[in-house]
Amino acid sequence: MPADTKKRVLIIANELSPYTEFTDFAHILNKLAIKTFDSGLEVRVIMPRFGVINERRHRLHEVVRLSGINVIIDKDDYPLIIKVASLPNARLQVYFMDNEDYFKRKSVFRDDQDVFHDDNGERMIFFCKSALETVKKFGWPPHVIHCHGWMTSLIPLYLKTTYKKEPVFGYSKIIYTAQSNQFKEKLNPNFLKKALISNEIKDKDLDVFKDGSNQSLTIGGGKSADVVVFGSEKMDKKTVDELKPSRYKKVLKYEPEWKEDVTPLLELYKSLTES
């Protein structure tokens, strides 16, 4: 890694307190982002701009200088709108990926009849690709990329394939937070075809995701990461078995103490920026 006094950490998550809170990890990520910033590391956060996020209350505004990005999914162009807000009680910025087709609706993963959105797979692909294209637009090379939540599960694979030769990601170490299942349904099978965003990705690379279940997404995200963090106390046996530590991968088991003290996670960030 080239000498650089600025160590950068990018957190990509589908939940972060106070914007969206699905699990306890939304609060842990909030504490972690602030503590990481206070420690002297540069931090940026990227998340979806779900329609339930109150833009006025949280003071979101569009970043005009980053406009003009179109995200292509299965040959269709989707305009990406990037919005930003300052995390309350902190001086770090959170960037929100927005698009009228995928995030305008006033719901997150289910409609008002509690039906799982049929296009959640496409929304995941759009978010993953948008996040990486936004970092390219920043020209801000992160030393650590922490992917949290099932909506980020394709990012580790994309970084190891489609974006492997991008200079901005040349020295990035990838952390993936594996959580207990958040949904019981399966993604529409068409998401597999649409997830093939470049020729660098082969059908076999997506085999682990083929089932379309929350479990398969979690395993798939962890398989391509350098470090797996278990974000839940109770993980299913198959996920734990599939994401065992190895000579290529470190695994950090969940600790309830993280709710109060995120120092072990900050130490992980620091160790990866120095390796």
Side-chain angles (χ1 to χ4, degrees):
M1 181 179 294
D4 190 345
T5 57
K6 295 180 179 178
K7 303 300 184 182
R8 306 182 232 355
V9 175
L10 174 68
I11 298 173
I12 308 177
N14 53 236
E15 63 170 332
L16 177 73
S17 175
Y19 308 110
T20 50
E21 300 169 358
F22 311 132
T23 71
D24 289 340
F25 221 87
H27 298 276
I28 292 172
L29 279 179
N30 177 291
K31 289 176 182 290
L32 180 58
I34 293 172
K35 187 158 187 171
T36 302
F37 180 86
D38 289 344
S39 76
L41 298 177
E42 287 191 19
V43 187
R44 291 184 182 179
V45 181
I46 293 178
M47 63 182 298
R49 208 294 292 179
F50 292 115
V52 297
I53 297 173
N54 189 308
E55 293 197 6
R56 181 176 296 179
R57 182 192 310 146
H58 296 298
R59 300 181 180 179
L60 272 67
H61 61 272
E62 186 173 346
V63 187
V64 179
R65 66 182 176 83
L66 293 176
S67 62
I69 300 176
N70 274 5
V71 175
I72 300 173
I73 299 178
D74 196 26
K75 299 180 181 178
D76 291 325
D77 275 25
Y78 295 89
L80 169 62
I81 300 168
I82 300 171
K83 297 176 180 176
V84 68
S86 294
L87 192 66
N89 304 315
R91 290 178 296 163
L92 62 93
Q93 292 184 307
V94 180
Y95 292 86
F96 296 83
M97 307 293 99
D98 199 1
N99 170 269
E100 190 162 323
D101 291 290
Y102 292 133
F103 296 114
K104 189 78 169 177
R105 64 197 72 168
K106 294 294 182 182
S107 60
V108 182
F109 303 127
R110 302 173 182 278
D111 64 20
D112 55 7
Q113 303 297 314
D114 201 35
V115 176
F116 197 65
H117 290 308
D118 187 58
D119 64 349
N120 276 333
E122 291 176 44
R123 297 169 84 209
M124 172 182 65
I125 297 165
F126 176 86
F127 175 58
C128 291
K129 192 172 180 183
S130 295
L132 297 177
E133 290 296 324
T134 297
V135 178
K136 280 175 58 181
K137 190 91 168 181
F138 284 156
W140 187 82
H143 297 80
V144 175
I145 300 176
H146 185 177
C147 302
H148 168 79
W150 67 267
M151 277 195 81
T152 70
S153 60
L154 288 169
I155 290 177
L157 173 63
Y158 286 172
L159 285 167
K160 296 290 175 71
T161 53
T162 304
Y163 293 87
K164 184 177 182 178
K165 296 180 181 178
E166 292 290 345
V168 74
F169 300 119
Y171 298 94
S172 300
K173 295 291 197 314
I174 309 164
I175 305 171
Y176 182 76
T177 302
Q179 288 194 289
S180 57
N181 293 337
Q182 306 297 302
F183 62 88
K184 296 180 180 178
E185 297 85 353
K186 294 191 177 183
L187 299 181
N188 188 315
N190 68 11
F191 96 93
L192 276 174
K193 176 175 175 286
K194 296 185 177 187
L196 289 164
I197 61 171
S198 73
N199 292 331
E200 284 82 9
I201 304 174
K202 308 303 180 188
D203 288 336
K204 63 181 178 60
D205 295 325
L206 292 171
D207 281 349
V208 66
F209 298 96
K210 190 176 292 184
D211 183 50
S213 64
N214 195 161
Q215 182 188 65
S216 67
L217 296 178
T218 300
I219 294 171
K223 289 275 190 184
S224 292
D226 301 302
V227 180
V228 172
V229 172
F230 285 136
S232 306
E233 203 162 2
K234 296 180 180 178
M235 298 293 301
D236 64 88
K237 186 177 184 301
K238 182 177 179 181
T239 300
V240 173
D241 288 345
E242 290 284 345
L243 299 179
K244 285 181 178 177
S246 69
R247 59 182 295 189
Y248 305 108
K249 189 188 310 295
K250 179 178 180 179
V251 175
L252 205 61
K253 296 291 181 67
Y254 177 83
E255 296 290 345
E257 291 77 12
W258 293 347
K259 294 178 185 178
E260 303 300 328
D261 182 6
V262 295
T263 301
L265 295 170
L266 174 59
E267 292 303 318
L268 172 63
Y269 284 176
K270 288 183 174 179
S271 68
L272 291 175
T273 64
E274 293 164 1
S275 61

